[in-house]
């Protein structure tokens, strides 16, 4: 495991996540206040690229910085990212609910989030590794 690449990728993901959340709130406010449907459709298409930037750039950075096994390190970074968000989500839900079924469902959702982010980070880590290999050829 390349601790340097994984930690820098996670920090980059966290910073970009904290930047993108206010942008998404501003974006949804902007879309709600546009009266022209065509302009609203065009502006609304920017929602998805803004929302994926945190995992995409973090994973690509892991892949770019890794010397060996960028996909494995990207998957590990994604799993850590998913665990961090899952712990936050579980803490928020368990403070509001005392129902055991809800807590089990939250744990299942957390497992799916960990798997999803692990896959997405590994996918973007391969892109970062490709960028690094293309730069080394030049």
């Amino acid at each position: 495991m390349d601790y340097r690449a994984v930690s820098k990728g996670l920090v980059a993901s966290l910073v970009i996540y904290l930047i993108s959340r206010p942008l998404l709130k501003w974006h949804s406010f902007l879309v709600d206040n546009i009266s022209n449907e065509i302009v609203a459709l065009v502006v609304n298409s920017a929602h998805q690229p803004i929302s994926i930037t945190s995992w995409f750039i973090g994973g690509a950075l892991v892949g770019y910085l890794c010397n060996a096994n960028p996909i494995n390190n990207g998957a590990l970074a994604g799993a850590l990212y998913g665990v961090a968000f899952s712990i936050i989500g579980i803490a928020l839900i368990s403070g509001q609910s005392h129902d055991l079924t809800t807590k089990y469902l939250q744990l299942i959702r957390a497992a799916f989030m960990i798997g999803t982010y692990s896959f997405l980070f590994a996918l973007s880590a391969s892109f970062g590794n490709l960028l690094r290999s293309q730069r080394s050829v030049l």
Side-chain angles (χ1 to χ4, degrees), residues 13 48 51-63 70-79 81-82 112-128:
S13 293
Q48 189 66 24
S51 65
I52 68 169
T53 55
S54 65
W55 62 260
F56 182 74
I57 292 179
L61 185 63
V62 169
I71 295 175
N72 293 342
N73 287 318
L76 177 69
Y81 188 79
F112 279 116
M113 273 183 64
I114 292 168
T116 300
Y117 281 122
S118 180
F119 174 74
L120 292 174
F121 267 73
L123 189 67
S124 61
S126 63
F127 176 72

PDB file of all heavy atoms in Angstrom, residues 13 48 51-63 70-79 81-82 112-128:
ATOM      1  N   SER A  13     -10.067  14.369  -1.995  1.00  0.00           N
ATOM      2  CA  SER A  13     -11.496  14.058  -2.088  1.00  0.00           C
ATOM      3  C   SER A  13     -12.300  14.817  -1.051  1.00  0.00           C
ATOM      4  O   SER A  13     -13.380  15.327  -1.345  1.00  0.00           O
ATOM      5  CB  SER A  13     -11.729  12.564  -1.913  1.00  0.00           C
ATOM      6  OG  SER A  13     -11.189  11.864  -2.980  1.00  0.00           O
ATOM      7  N   GLN A  48     -24.536  16.614 -12.428  1.00  0.00           N
ATOM      8  CA  GLN A  48     -23.802  15.354 -12.336  1.00  0.00           C
ATOM      9  C   GLN A  48     -22.285  15.565 -12.347  1.00  0.00           C
ATOM     10  O   GLN A  48     -21.596  14.974 -11.519  1.00  0.00           O
ATOM     11  CB  GLN A  48     -24.230  14.409 -13.463  1.00  0.00           C
ATOM     12  CG  GLN A  48     -23.682  13.020 -13.332  1.00  0.00           C
ATOM     13  CD  GLN A  48     -24.220  12.290 -12.123  1.00  0.00           C
ATOM     14  OE1 GLN A  48     -25.284  12.598 -11.611  1.00  0.00           O
ATOM     15  NE2 GLN A  48     -23.474  11.315 -11.653  1.00  0.00           N
ATOM     16  N   SER A  51     -21.200  16.701  -8.929  1.00  0.00           N
ATOM     17  CA  SER A  51     -21.348  15.728  -7.849  1.00  0.00           C
ATOM     18  C   SER A  51     -20.324  14.601  -7.898  1.00  0.00           C
ATOM     19  O   SER A  51     -20.034  13.995  -6.868  1.00  0.00           O
ATOM     20  CB  SER A  51     -22.758  15.158  -7.839  1.00  0.00           C
ATOM     21  OG  SER A  51     -22.995  14.418  -9.004  1.00  0.00           O
ATOM     22  N   ILE A  52     -19.741  14.303  -9.064  1.00  0.00           N
ATOM     23  CA  ILE A  52     -18.771  13.213  -9.138  1.00  0.00           C
ATOM     24  C   ILE A  52     -17.332  13.663  -8.955  1.00  0.00           C
ATOM     25  O   ILE A  52     -16.444  12.825  -8.890  1.00  0.00           O
ATOM     26  CB  ILE A  52     -18.885  12.437 -10.467  1.00  0.00           C
ATOM     27  CG1 ILE A  52     -18.454  13.285 -11.652  1.00  0.00           C
ATOM     28  CG2 ILE A  52     -20.261  11.873 -10.649  1.00  0.00           C
ATOM     29  CD1 ILE A  52     -18.300  12.516 -12.928  1.00  0.00           C
ATOM     30  N   THR A  53     -17.102  14.938  -8.841  1.00  0.00           N
ATOM     31  CA  THR A  53     -15.714  15.408  -8.794  1.00  0.00           C
ATOM     32  C   THR A  53     -14.955  14.911  -7.577  1.00  0.00           C
ATOM     33  O   THR A  53     -13.751  14.655  -7.672  1.00  0.00           O
ATOM     34  CB  THR A  53     -15.644  16.944  -8.813  1.00  0.00           C
ATOM     35  OG1 THR A  53     -16.438  17.463  -7.751  1.00  0.00           O
ATOM     36  CG2 THR A  53     -16.086  17.504 -10.130  1.00  0.00           C
ATOM     37  N   SER A  54     -15.605  14.720  -6.451  1.00  0.00           N
ATOM     38  CA  SER A  54     -14.860  14.342  -5.245  1.00  0.00           C
ATOM     39  C   SER A  54     -14.229  12.966  -5.387  1.00  0.00           C
ATOM     40  O   SER A  54     -13.044  12.800  -5.132  1.00  0.00           O
ATOM     41  CB  SER A  54     -15.757  14.412  -4.017  1.00  0.00           C
ATOM     42  OG  SER A  54     -16.775  13.468  -4.089  1.00  0.00           O
ATOM     43  N   TRP A  55     -14.983  11.970  -5.787  1.00  0.00           N
ATOM     44  CA  TRP A  55     -14.373  10.646  -5.916  1.00  0.00           C
ATOM     45  C   TRP A  55     -13.512  10.536  -7.158  1.00  0.00           C
ATOM     46  O   TRP A  55     -12.499   9.838  -7.169  1.00  0.00           O
ATOM     47  CB  TRP A  55     -15.401   9.523  -5.871  1.00  0.00           C
ATOM     48  CG  TRP A  55     -16.421   9.507  -6.961  1.00  0.00           C
ATOM     49  CD1 TRP A  55     -17.699   9.970  -6.870  1.00  0.00           C
ATOM     50  CD2 TRP A  55     -16.275   8.982  -8.277  1.00  0.00           C
ATOM     51  NE1 TRP A  55     -18.345   9.780  -8.076  1.00  0.00           N
ATOM     52  CE2 TRP A  55     -17.496   9.169  -8.949  1.00  0.00           C
ATOM     53  CE3 TRP A  55     -15.237   8.378  -8.970  1.00  0.00           C
ATOM     54  CZ2 TRP A  55     -17.711   8.771 -10.262  1.00  0.00           C
ATOM     55  CZ3 TRP A  55     -15.439   7.984 -10.284  1.00  0.00           C
ATOM     56  CH2 TRP A  55     -16.677   8.177 -10.917  1.00  0.00           C
ATOM     57  N   PHE A  56     -13.865  11.243  -8.230  1.00  0.00           N
ATOM     58  CA  PHE A  56     -13.100  11.106  -9.463  1.00  0.00           C
ATOM     59  C   PHE A  56     -11.695  11.702  -9.328  1.00  0.00           C
ATOM     60  O   PHE A  56     -10.707  11.057  -9.661  1.00  0.00           O
ATOM     61  CB  PHE A  56     -13.841  11.770 -10.629  1.00  0.00           C
ATOM     62  CG  PHE A  56     -13.121  11.611 -11.929  1.00  0.00           C
ATOM     63  CD1 PHE A  56     -13.121  10.390 -12.576  1.00  0.00           C
ATOM     64  CD2 PHE A  56     -12.427  12.656 -12.493  1.00  0.00           C
ATOM     65  CE1 PHE A  56     -12.445  10.230 -13.773  1.00  0.00           C
ATOM     66  CE2 PHE A  56     -11.749  12.510 -13.679  1.00  0.00           C
ATOM     67  CZ  PHE A  56     -11.763  11.290 -14.325  1.00  0.00           C
ATOM     68  N   ILE A  57     -11.605  12.901  -8.819  1.00  0.00           N
ATOM     69  CA  ILE A  57     -10.296  13.536  -8.699  1.00  0.00           C
ATOM     70  C   ILE A  57      -9.462  12.865  -7.612  1.00  0.00           C
ATOM     71  O   ILE A  57      -8.262  12.667  -7.775  1.00  0.00           O
ATOM     72  CB  ILE A  57     -10.451  15.046  -8.479  1.00  0.00           C
ATOM     73  CG1 ILE A  57     -11.018  15.661  -9.749  1.00  0.00           C
ATOM     74  CG2 ILE A  57      -9.126  15.691  -8.114  1.00  0.00           C
ATOM     75  CD1 ILE A  57     -11.260  17.121  -9.713  1.00  0.00           C
ATOM     76  N   GLY A  58     -10.075  12.468  -6.524  1.00  0.00           N
ATOM     77  CA  GLY A  58      -9.342  11.766  -5.475  1.00  0.00           C
ATOM     78  C   GLY A  58      -8.774  10.448  -5.962  1.00  0.00           C
ATOM     79  O   GLY A  58      -7.613  10.124  -5.716  1.00  0.00           O
ATOM     80  N   GLY A  59      -9.566   9.674  -6.669  1.00  0.00           N
ATOM     81  CA  GLY A  59      -9.095   8.399  -7.203  1.00  0.00           C
ATOM     82  C   GLY A  59      -8.050   8.574  -8.282  1.00  0.00           C
ATOM     83  O   GLY A  59      -7.072   7.825  -8.351  1.00  0.00           O
ATOM     84  N   ALA A  60      -8.238   9.568  -9.148  1.00  0.00           N
ATOM     85  CA  ALA A  60      -7.241   9.825 -10.188  1.00  0.00           C
ATOM     86  C   ALA A  60      -5.919  10.260  -9.578  1.00  0.00           C
ATOM     87  O   ALA A  60      -4.844   9.886 -10.070  1.00  0.00           O
ATOM     88  CB  ALA A  60      -7.763  10.884 -11.161  1.00  0.00           C
ATOM     89  N   LEU A  61      -5.976  11.021  -8.511  1.00  0.00           N
ATOM     90  CA  LEU A  61      -4.746  11.429  -7.830  1.00  0.00           C
ATOM     91  C   LEU A  61      -4.033  10.224  -7.211  1.00  0.00           C
ATOM     92  O   LEU A  61      -2.810  10.124  -7.282  1.00  0.00           O
ATOM     93  CB  LEU A  61      -5.058  12.477  -6.763  1.00  0.00           C
ATOM     94  CG  LEU A  61      -3.864  13.076  -6.042  1.00  0.00           C
ATOM     95  CD1 LEU A  61      -2.973  13.834  -7.021  1.00  0.00           C
ATOM     96  CD2 LEU A  61      -4.322  13.994  -4.939  1.00  0.00           C
ATOM     97  N   VAL A  62      -4.796   9.308  -6.648  1.00  0.00           N
ATOM     98  CA  VAL A  62      -4.188   8.083  -6.108  1.00  0.00           C
ATOM     99  C   VAL A  62      -3.495   7.310  -7.227  1.00  0.00           C
ATOM    100  O   VAL A  62      -2.358   6.861  -7.084  1.00  0.00           O
ATOM    101  CB  VAL A  62      -5.245   7.203  -5.401  1.00  0.00           C
ATOM    102  CG1 VAL A  62      -4.686   5.834  -5.071  1.00  0.00           C
ATOM    103  CG2 VAL A  62      -5.754   7.874  -4.152  1.00  0.00           C
ATOM    104  N   GLY A  63      -4.168   7.144  -8.348  1.00  0.00           N
ATOM    105  CA  GLY A  63      -3.579   6.428  -9.477  1.00  0.00           C
ATOM    106  C   GLY A  63      -2.374   7.137 -10.062  1.00  0.00           C
ATOM    107  O   GLY A  63      -1.422   6.498 -10.504  1.00  0.00           O
ATOM    108  N   PRO A  70      -1.800   0.729  -8.680  1.00  0.00           N
ATOM    109  CA  PRO A  70      -2.681   1.888  -8.501  1.00  0.00           C
ATOM    110  C   PRO A  70      -4.150   1.515  -8.328  1.00  0.00           C
ATOM    111  O   PRO A  70      -4.868   2.183  -7.588  1.00  0.00           O
ATOM    112  CB  PRO A  70      -2.472   2.705  -9.768  1.00  0.00           C
ATOM    113  CG  PRO A  70      -1.995   1.730 -10.775  1.00  0.00           C
ATOM    114  CD  PRO A  70      -1.220   0.694 -10.024  1.00  0.00           C
ATOM    115  N   ILE A  71      -4.584   0.434  -8.954  1.00  0.00           N
ATOM    116  CA  ILE A  71      -5.988   0.051  -8.835  1.00  0.00           C
ATOM    117  C   ILE A  71      -6.276  -0.476  -7.430  1.00  0.00           C
ATOM    118  O   ILE A  71      -7.307  -0.148  -6.835  1.00  0.00           O
ATOM    119  CB  ILE A  71      -6.364  -0.967  -9.925  1.00  0.00           C
ATOM    120  CG1 ILE A  71      -6.247  -0.282 -11.291  1.00  0.00           C
ATOM    121  CG2 ILE A  71      -7.745  -1.523  -9.721  1.00  0.00           C
ATOM    122  CD1 ILE A  71      -6.459  -1.172 -12.464  1.00  0.00           C
ATOM    123  N   ASN A  72      -5.360  -1.260  -6.876  1.00  0.00           N
ATOM    124  CA  ASN A  72      -5.547  -1.746  -5.506  1.00  0.00           C
ATOM    125  C   ASN A  72      -5.541  -0.598  -4.507  1.00  0.00           C
ATOM    126  O   ASN A  72      -6.352  -0.566  -3.579  1.00  0.00           O
ATOM    127  CB  ASN A  72      -4.455  -2.746  -5.136  1.00  0.00           C
ATOM    128  CG  ASN A  72      -4.549  -4.028  -5.915  1.00  0.00           C
ATOM    129  OD1 ASN A  72      -5.584  -4.327  -6.491  1.00  0.00           O
ATOM    130  ND2 ASN A  72      -3.473  -4.792  -5.954  1.00  0.00           N
ATOM    131  N   ASN A  73      -4.625   0.334  -4.687  1.00  0.00           N
ATOM    132  CA  ASN A  73      -4.577   1.491  -3.795  1.00  0.00           C
ATOM    133  C   ASN A  73      -5.804   2.375  -3.973  1.00  0.00           C
ATOM    134  O   ASN A  73      -6.309   2.949  -3.010  1.00  0.00           O
ATOM    135  CB  ASN A  73      -3.300   2.294  -4.021  1.00  0.00           C
ATOM    136  CG  ASN A  73      -2.093   1.582  -3.480  1.00  0.00           C
ATOM    137  OD1 ASN A  73      -2.125   1.008  -2.404  1.00  0.00           O
ATOM    138  ND2 ASN A  73      -1.004   1.614  -4.225  1.00  0.00           N
ATOM    139  N   GLY A  74      -6.291   2.506  -5.203  1.00  0.00           N
ATOM    140  CA  GLY A  74      -7.520   3.259  -5.441  1.00  0.00           C
ATOM    141  C   GLY A  74      -8.717   2.606  -4.782  1.00  0.00           C
ATOM    142  O   GLY A  74      -9.568   3.276  -4.198  1.00  0.00           O
ATOM    143  N   ALA A  75      -8.787   1.264  -4.846  1.00  0.00           N
ATOM    144  CA  ALA A  75      -9.884   0.551  -4.192  1.00  0.00           C
ATOM    145  C   ALA A  75      -9.811   0.714  -2.680  1.00  0.00           C
ATOM    146  O   ALA A  75     -10.837   0.894  -2.019  1.00  0.00           O
ATOM    147  CB  ALA A  75      -9.846  -0.929  -4.566  1.00  0.00           C
ATOM    148  N   LEU A  76      -8.601   0.688  -2.136  1.00  0.00           N
ATOM    149  CA  LEU A  76      -8.435   0.892  -0.697  1.00  0.00           C
ATOM    150  C   LEU A  76      -8.850   2.307  -0.296  1.00  0.00           C
ATOM    151  O   LEU A  76      -9.543   2.494   0.707  1.00  0.00           O
ATOM    152  CB  LEU A  76      -6.990   0.634  -0.280  1.00  0.00           C
ATOM    153  CG  LEU A  76      -6.690   0.880   1.184  1.00  0.00           C
ATOM    154  CD1 LEU A  76      -7.371  -0.169   2.046  1.00  0.00           C
ATOM    155  CD2 LEU A  76      -5.215   0.890   1.423  1.00  0.00           C
ATOM    156  N   ALA A  77      -8.446   3.300  -1.084  1.00  0.00           N
ATOM    157  CA  ALA A  77      -8.841   4.679  -0.792  1.00  0.00           C
ATOM    158  C   ALA A  77     -10.358   4.833  -0.868  1.00  0.00           C
ATOM    159  O   ALA A  77     -10.969   5.515  -0.042  1.00  0.00           O
ATOM    160  CB  ALA A  77      -8.155   5.648  -1.752  1.00  0.00           C
ATOM    161  N   GLY A  78     -10.982   4.193  -1.845  1.00  0.00           N
ATOM    162  CA  GLY A  78     -12.432   4.244  -1.957  1.00  0.00           C
ATOM    163  C   GLY A  78     -13.125   3.579  -0.788  1.00  0.00           C
ATOM    164  O   GLY A  78     -14.150   4.064  -0.301  1.00  0.00           O
ATOM    165  N   ALA A  79     -12.567   2.464  -0.322  1.00  0.00           N
ATOM    166  CA  ALA A  79     -13.150   1.795   0.837  1.00  0.00           C
ATOM    167  C   ALA A  79     -13.036   2.675   2.077  1.00  0.00           C
ATOM    168  O   ALA A  79     -13.989   2.783   2.854  1.00  0.00           O
ATOM    169  CB  ALA A  79     -12.454   0.455   1.074  1.00  0.00           C
ATOM    170  N   TYR A  81     -12.861   5.963   2.080  1.00  0.00           N
ATOM    171  CA  TYR A  81     -13.791   7.066   1.838  1.00  0.00           C
ATOM    172  C   TYR A  81     -15.221   6.627   2.166  1.00  0.00           C
ATOM    173  O   TYR A  81     -15.973   7.347   2.827  1.00  0.00           O
ATOM    174  CB  TYR A  81     -13.657   7.488   0.372  1.00  0.00           C
ATOM    175  CG  TYR A  81     -14.388   8.732  -0.043  1.00  0.00           C
ATOM    176  CD1 TYR A  81     -13.889   9.993   0.242  1.00  0.00           C
ATOM    177  CD2 TYR A  81     -15.557   8.661  -0.790  1.00  0.00           C
ATOM    178  CE1 TYR A  81     -14.537  11.143  -0.179  1.00  0.00           C
ATOM    179  CE2 TYR A  81     -16.214   9.793  -1.216  1.00  0.00           C
ATOM    180  CZ  TYR A  81     -15.693  11.030  -0.906  1.00  0.00           C
ATOM    181  OH  TYR A  81     -16.352  12.160  -1.331  1.00  0.00           O
ATOM    182  N   GLY A  82     -15.599   5.423   1.717  1.00  0.00           N
ATOM    183  CA  GLY A  82     -16.930   4.899   2.006  1.00  0.00           C
ATOM    184  C   GLY A  82     -17.139   4.640   3.484  1.00  0.00           C
ATOM    185  O   GLY A  82     -18.215   4.903   4.019  1.00  0.00           O
ATOM    186  N   PHE A 112     -22.955  -1.271   0.980  1.00  0.00           N
ATOM    187  CA  PHE A 112     -23.065  -0.950  -0.439  1.00  0.00           C
ATOM    188  C   PHE A 112     -22.288   0.318  -0.791  1.00  0.00           C
ATOM    189  O   PHE A 112     -21.671   0.395  -1.857  1.00  0.00           O
ATOM    190  CB  PHE A 112     -24.534  -0.805  -0.864  1.00  0.00           C
ATOM    191  CG  PHE A 112     -25.204  -2.115  -1.110  1.00  0.00           C
ATOM    192  CD1 PHE A 112     -26.262  -2.513  -0.314  1.00  0.00           C
ATOM    193  CD2 PHE A 112     -24.793  -2.953  -2.117  1.00  0.00           C
ATOM    194  CE1 PHE A 112     -26.888  -3.723  -0.524  1.00  0.00           C
ATOM    195  CE2 PHE A 112     -25.401  -4.166  -2.352  1.00  0.00           C
ATOM    196  CZ  PHE A 112     -26.461  -4.560  -1.549  1.00  0.00           C
ATOM    197  N   MET A 113     -22.322   1.306   0.076  1.00  0.00           N
ATOM    198  CA  MET A 113     -21.554   2.531  -0.172  1.00  0.00           C
ATOM    199  C   MET A 113     -20.064   2.244  -0.212  1.00  0.00           C
ATOM    200  O   MET A 113     -19.351   2.784  -1.069  1.00  0.00           O
ATOM    201  CB  MET A 113     -21.836   3.572   0.913  1.00  0.00           C
ATOM    202  CG  MET A 113     -23.017   4.456   0.657  1.00  0.00           C
ATOM    203  SD  MET A 113     -23.219   5.695   1.957  1.00  0.00           S
ATOM    204  CE  MET A 113     -21.749   6.653   1.805  1.00  0.00           C
ATOM    205  N   ILE A 114     -19.581   1.419   0.693  1.00  0.00           N
ATOM    206  CA  ILE A 114     -18.161   1.082   0.714  1.00  0.00           C
ATOM    207  C   ILE A 114     -17.768   0.382  -0.581  1.00  0.00           C
ATOM    208  O   ILE A 114     -16.752   0.712  -1.191  1.00  0.00           O
ATOM    209  CB  ILE A 114     -17.836   0.221   1.951  1.00  0.00           C
ATOM    210  CG1 ILE A 114     -17.992   1.053   3.218  1.00  0.00           C
ATOM    211  CG2 ILE A 114     -16.434  -0.365   1.864  1.00  0.00           C
ATOM    212  CD1 ILE A 114     -17.982   0.248   4.488  1.00  0.00           C
ATOM    213  N   GLY A 115     -18.574  -0.554  -1.021  1.00  0.00           N
ATOM    214  CA  GLY A 115     -18.299  -1.242  -2.282  1.00  0.00           C
ATOM    215  C   GLY A 115     -18.361  -0.319  -3.480  1.00  0.00           C
ATOM    216  O   GLY A 115     -17.518  -0.394  -4.382  1.00  0.00           O
ATOM    217  N   THR A 116     -19.340   0.568  -3.490  1.00  0.00           N
ATOM    218  CA  THR A 116     -19.484   1.503  -4.605  1.00  0.00           C
ATOM    219  C   THR A 116     -18.295   2.454  -4.696  1.00  0.00           C
ATOM    220  O   THR A 116     -17.712   2.628  -5.769  1.00  0.00           O
ATOM    221  CB  THR A 116     -20.786   2.317  -4.447  1.00  0.00           C
ATOM    222  OG1 THR A 116     -21.884   1.418  -4.426  1.00  0.00           O
ATOM    223  CG2 THR A 116     -20.953   3.318  -5.569  1.00  0.00           C
ATOM    224  N   TYR A 117     -17.932   3.059  -3.573  1.00  0.00           N
ATOM    225  CA  TYR A 117     -16.795   3.975  -3.601  1.00  0.00           C
ATOM    226  C   TYR A 117     -15.491   3.256  -3.877  1.00  0.00           C
ATOM    227  O   TYR A 117     -14.601   3.806  -4.530  1.00  0.00           O
ATOM    228  CB  TYR A 117     -16.707   4.781  -2.309  1.00  0.00           C
ATOM    229  CG  TYR A 117     -17.677   5.925  -2.273  1.00  0.00           C
ATOM    230  CD1 TYR A 117     -18.620   6.026  -1.267  1.00  0.00           C
ATOM    231  CD2 TYR A 117     -17.658   6.902  -3.252  1.00  0.00           C
ATOM    232  CE1 TYR A 117     -19.516   7.076  -1.237  1.00  0.00           C
ATOM    233  CE2 TYR A 117     -18.554   7.948  -3.241  1.00  0.00           C
ATOM    234  CZ  TYR A 117     -19.486   8.031  -2.224  1.00  0.00           C
ATOM    235  OH  TYR A 117     -20.375   9.065  -2.206  1.00  0.00           O
ATOM    236  N   SER A 118     -15.356   2.025  -3.443  1.00  0.00           N
ATOM    237  CA  SER A 118     -14.162   1.253  -3.736  1.00  0.00           C
ATOM    238  C   SER A 118     -14.042   1.041  -5.243  1.00  0.00           C
ATOM    239  O   SER A 118     -12.966   1.212  -5.824  1.00  0.00           O
ATOM    240  CB  SER A 118     -14.212  -0.080  -3.007  1.00  0.00           C
ATOM    241  OG  SER A 118     -13.078  -0.835  -3.266  1.00  0.00           O
ATOM    242  N   PHE A 119     -15.140   0.688  -5.883  1.00  0.00           N
ATOM    243  CA  PHE A 119     -15.136   0.504  -7.336  1.00  0.00           C
ATOM    244  C   PHE A 119     -14.865   1.817  -8.069  1.00  0.00           C
ATOM    245  O   PHE A 119     -14.056   1.860  -9.001  1.00  0.00           O
ATOM    246  CB  PHE A 119     -16.471  -0.087  -7.797  1.00  0.00           C
ATOM    247  CG  PHE A 119     -16.602  -0.175  -9.281  1.00  0.00           C
ATOM    248  CD1 PHE A 119     -15.908  -1.137  -9.992  1.00  0.00           C
ATOM    249  CD2 PHE A 119     -17.402   0.718  -9.969  1.00  0.00           C
ATOM    250  CE1 PHE A 119     -16.012  -1.215 -11.372  1.00  0.00           C
ATOM    251  CE2 PHE A 119     -17.521   0.644 -11.348  1.00  0.00           C
ATOM    252  CZ  PHE A 119     -16.821  -0.329 -12.056  1.00  0.00           C
ATOM    253  N   LEU A 120     -15.525   2.899  -7.645  1.00  0.00           N
ATOM    254  CA  LEU A 120     -15.367   4.172  -8.337  1.00  0.00           C
ATOM    255  C   LEU A 120     -13.946   4.732  -8.193  1.00  0.00           C
ATOM    256  O   LEU A 120     -13.379   5.250  -9.153  1.00  0.00           O
ATOM    257  CB  LEU A 120     -16.393   5.180  -7.821  1.00  0.00           C
ATOM    258  CG  LEU A 120     -17.847   4.871  -8.174  1.00  0.00           C
ATOM    259  CD1 LEU A 120     -18.775   5.849  -7.492  1.00  0.00           C
ATOM    260  CD2 LEU A 120     -18.057   4.881  -9.670  1.00  0.00           C
ATOM    261  N   PHE A 121     -13.374   4.617  -7.005  1.00  0.00           N
ATOM    262  CA  PHE A 121     -11.999   5.079  -6.817  1.00  0.00           C
ATOM    263  C   PHE A 121     -11.031   4.235  -7.641  1.00  0.00           C
ATOM    264  O   PHE A 121     -10.074   4.761  -8.203  1.00  0.00           O
ATOM    265  CB  PHE A 121     -11.612   5.039  -5.337  1.00  0.00           C
ATOM    266  CG  PHE A 121     -11.848   6.317  -4.604  1.00  0.00           C
ATOM    267  CD1 PHE A 121     -13.125   6.724  -4.286  1.00  0.00           C
ATOM    268  CD2 PHE A 121     -10.791   7.100  -4.212  1.00  0.00           C
ATOM    269  CE1 PHE A 121     -13.346   7.896  -3.594  1.00  0.00           C
ATOM    270  CE2 PHE A 121     -11.001   8.275  -3.511  1.00  0.00           C
ATOM    271  CZ  PHE A 121     -12.283   8.673  -3.203  1.00  0.00           C
ATOM    272  N   ALA A 122     -11.245   2.915  -7.701  1.00  0.00           N
ATOM    273  CA  ALA A 122     -10.375   2.054  -8.504  1.00  0.00           C
ATOM    274  C   ALA A 122     -10.481   2.407  -9.978  1.00  0.00           C
ATOM    275  O   ALA A 122      -9.474   2.432 -10.697  1.00  0.00           O
ATOM    276  CB  ALA A 122     -10.727   0.593  -8.279  1.00  0.00           C
ATOM    277  N   LEU A 123     -11.682   2.712 -10.421  1.00  0.00           N
ATOM    278  CA  LEU A 123     -11.892   3.103 -11.813  1.00  0.00           C
ATOM    279  C   LEU A 123     -11.176   4.410 -12.136  1.00  0.00           C
ATOM    280  O   LEU A 123     -10.476   4.514 -13.148  1.00  0.00           O
ATOM    281  CB  LEU A 123     -13.396   3.246 -12.076  1.00  0.00           C
ATOM    282  CG  LEU A 123     -13.844   3.438 -13.500  1.00  0.00           C
ATOM    283  CD1 LEU A 123     -13.553   2.192 -14.291  1.00  0.00           C
ATOM    284  CD2 LEU A 123     -15.332   3.734 -13.520  1.00  0.00           C
ATOM    285  N   SER A 124     -11.302   5.383 -11.273  1.00  0.00           N
ATOM    286  CA  SER A 124     -10.630   6.649 -11.532  1.00  0.00           C
ATOM    287  C   SER A 124      -9.129   6.558 -11.276  1.00  0.00           C
ATOM    288  O   SER A 124      -8.354   7.310 -11.860  1.00  0.00           O
ATOM    289  CB  SER A 124     -11.255   7.778 -10.709  1.00  0.00           C
ATOM    290  OG  SER A 124     -11.142   7.511  -9.346  1.00  0.00           O
ATOM    291  N   ALA A 125      -8.685   5.629 -10.424  1.00  0.00           N
ATOM    292  CA  ALA A 125      -7.243   5.425 -10.224  1.00  0.00           C
ATOM    293  C   ALA A 125      -6.599   4.888 -11.487  1.00  0.00           C
ATOM    294  O   ALA A 125      -5.456   5.240 -11.812  1.00  0.00           O
ATOM    295  CB  ALA A 125      -6.991   4.482  -9.058  1.00  0.00           C
ATOM    296  N   SER A 126      -7.320   4.047 -12.214  1.00  0.00           N
ATOM    297  CA  SER A 126      -6.768   3.566 -13.486  1.00  0.00           C
ATOM    298  C   SER A 126      -6.632   4.712 -14.483  1.00  0.00           C
ATOM    299  O   SER A 126      -5.680   4.759 -15.261  1.00  0.00           O
ATOM    300  CB  SER A 126      -7.632   2.448 -14.052  1.00  0.00           C
ATOM    301  OG  SER A 126      -8.925   2.911 -14.347  1.00  0.00           O
ATOM    302  N   PHE A 127      -7.557   5.661 -14.448  1.00  0.00           N
ATOM    303  CA  PHE A 127      -7.447   6.851 -15.296  1.00  0.00           C
ATOM    304  C   PHE A 127      -6.232   7.689 -14.899  1.00  0.00           C
ATOM    305  O   PHE A 127      -5.490   8.164 -15.760  1.00  0.00           O
ATOM    306  CB  PHE A 127      -8.727   7.683 -15.200  1.00  0.00           C
ATOM    307  CG  PHE A 127      -8.672   8.961 -15.969  1.00  0.00           C
ATOM    308  CD1 PHE A 127      -8.707   8.957 -17.353  1.00  0.00           C
ATOM    309  CD2 PHE A 127      -8.580  10.174 -15.310  1.00  0.00           C
ATOM    310  CE1 PHE A 127      -8.642  10.144 -18.064  1.00  0.00           C
ATOM    311  CE2 PHE A 127      -8.519  11.353 -16.008  1.00  0.00           C
ATOM    312  CZ  PHE A 127      -8.560  11.345 -17.392  1.00  0.00           C
ATOM    313  N   GLY A 128      -6.004   7.865 -13.600  1.00  0.00           N
ATOM    314  CA  GLY A 128      -4.842   8.615 -13.137  1.00  0.00           C
ATOM    315  C   GLY A 128      -3.546   7.930 -13.510  1.00  0.00           C
ATOM    316  O   GLY A 128      -2.565   8.586 -13.889  1.00  0.00           O
TER     317      GLY A 128
END
